[in-house]
Amino acid sequence: MRSRHLALALFLPALILSAGTSKSPKRSSGPVKSAKEAKAIAEQETGGKATSARRIPLNGASGGWEVEVRMPREAKGWRCIIDADTHLIHSKTRIEQPGAKGPSEGPIRVVKGTG
């Protein structure tokens, strides 16, 4: 009977620790193969909406992706370079909003005149 309690005492902490561990989100294996995947990674990192993605050569056989991200309610967007092998952001640079109509795009102003 005593050995059963000892075994339970040794097993219980390991069981509790494993129950509290959260699993990381499942990542597909292999390099980033599509623009859709690259855009999803950039959107998750920045919180914006990806407008374009293109393949670029990057330090490795699989290369990388350059993704432009539009940031709603902000003056500037992001250009993210994603390493295709690691699925991680290699670099992130602030840029003018992608898809902007002009340099001073902002909220629409209504000017009421006398008529």
Side-chain angles (χ1 to χ4, degrees):
M1 187 73 164
R2 186 171 181 94
S3 64
R4 187 180 300 174
H5 289 288
L6 182 60
L8 184 60
L10 293 175
F11 178 70
L12 193 57
L15 182 64
I16 291 170
L17 286 176
S18 67
T21 306
S22 63
K23 289 187 176 183
S24 61
K26 193 169 186 177
R27 194 175 77 190
S28 61
S29 61
V32 177
K33 293 181 180 150
S34 69
K36 186 177 180 180
E37 275 184 86
K39 285 180 177 183
I41 293 167
E43 287 174 355
Q44 183 178 5
E45 177 71 22
T46 62
K49 177 69 177 152
T51 59
S52 67
R54 68 183 185 101
R55 295 281 304 189
I56 58 169
L58 193 64
N59 57 356
S62 300
W65 291 86
E66 179 184 81
V67 181
E68 291 187 348
V69 181
R70 184 171 184 79
M71 297 300 292
R73 297 174 297 281
E74 288 188 27
K76 295 193 176 235
W78 290 103
R79 176 175 292 125
C80 299
I81 306 298
I82 299 169
D83 189 328
D85 291 327
T86 62
H87 295 239
L88 298 174
I89 299 288
H90 185 267
S91 68
K92 204 164 74 165
T93 309
R94 278 294 206 177
I95 60 170
E96 293 299 319
Q97 286 284 15
K101 294 179 181 152
S104 62
E105 180 186 8
I108 298 172
R109 290 189 203 161
V110 177
V111 179
K112 294 185 180 181
T114 57

